[in-house]
Amino acid sequence: SSRPFLNEKLPTFGHLVNPLPNMARGVFGLALVAFGLVSLNRYWSAVDFVGQVSPRPRAEKLVRCAGDKALKDRWNSVGKTGKLTDAMRLVAAAKVRSAQTGVEKARPFSDELLSMIKGLVKKLKGTGLEADLPMLRVPEKVNNIGILMITGQRGLCGPYNAFVIKKVQARILDLNAQGLTPKLFIVGRKGFQALTTRLQTEKYTYNYTEEFWAMPDTIKAKDSTEIAETLENYFLSGEVDKIEIA
């Protein structure tokens, strides 16, 4: 025939074992028994109590739900808020730089005006005109000092507010060491909040005058005039002999 190998007999288990020595036959038999037991154990573990083969356990898959979309929307919202906050921080920094530039430009004028006032006070001293010009009064000894603390109304300029509050803390400690208790005037909500945080400890001794002004977004002459009139009244009444600006 064309396929002679089909007529040949396949080797049986006896043909495989008989040529082996007795020791080898025993080892080979034990190996076959062990293989059979392992195969039966795998089969029985896959059969349930009704005799049916149970399917293999599948890996658990995450089920998408409405919470996934909400989490993604929240993630995008936080990212947009962060970009908006960065933009606001840049705007606030630009405003601070603009205000600082304006102060630096006005400093020569204020220095010259202060020099003129000091020269006028020296010339009028001893002439008896101090009673007619109380704003030019120079006390012989300064016992009452007022501190005007100017801070921001909102955040986004934290270093500036922290710097001002730190300077006020140092000045209060310096005056306390001299036996003086300063009076505190506050401009800006951040300075007012510092009363209950950074200035609340017992090592700072001061008197809060309850004089507080909110820092406007755009400073006008009316706002500065209101503050100046209040400080003027404290000076003319003798409650403060000197007012320092922080």
Side-chain angles (χ1 to χ4, degrees), residues 19 57 88 95 114 121 135 147 172 210 215 224:
M88 294 176 64
K95 288 184 178 180
L114 182 61
V121 169
M135 289 298 296
I147 300 177
I172 292 176
E210 303 293 336
M215 173 64 73
S224 59

Side-chain angles (χ1 to χ4, degrees), residues 43-183:
Y43 175 77
W44 287 335
S45 63
V47 178
D48 56 12
F49 65 95
V50 293
Q52 298 178 354
V53 178
S54 59
R56 293 181 179 180
R58 299 181 179 179
E60 295 183 0
K61 296 183 179 180
L62 296 177
V63 181
R64 296 184 60 85
C65 59
D68 298 336
K69 184 178 183 302
L71 181 60
K72 184 177 180 181
D73 293 342
R74 180 61 177 171
W75 184 281
N76 295 333
S77 176
V78 171
K80 293 179 181 178
T81 303
K83 293 181 180 179
L84 180 61
T85 304
D86 292 338
M88 294 176 64
R89 186 179 292 107
L90 293 176
V91 172
K95 288 184 178 180
V96 170
R97 286 195 297 268
S98 177
Q100 183 178 2
T101 303
V103 171
E104 291 176 352
K105 289 182 179 180
R107 182 169 296 170
F109 171 78
S110 62
D111 292 341
E112 186 66 24
L113 181 61
L114 182 61
S115 177
M116 291 175 59
I117 294 175
K118 287 182 178 180
L120 182 61
V121 169
K122 288 181 180 180
K123 291 181 179 181
L124 293 177
K125 188 175 182 180
T127 61
L129 297 177
E130 291 89 344
D132 298 331
L133 300 172
M135 289 298 296
L136 299 179
R137 175 179 61 87
V138 178
E140 296 180 359
K141 185 178 181 180
V142 178
N143 295 321
N144 300 315
I145 297 179
I147 300 177
L148 178 62
M149 181 169 58
I150 303 176
T151 60
Q153 185 69 11
R154 293 182 294 272
L156 302 179
C157 54
Y160 165 76
N161 295 322
F163 176 78
V164 172
I165 296 172
K166 187 177 180 179
K167 287 294 183 180
V168 172
Q169 288 176 323
R171 184 54 177 163
I172 292 176
L173 291 178
D174 184 24
L175 294 175
N176 292 159
Q178 302 175 26
L180 301 177
T181 301
K183 293 180 173 61

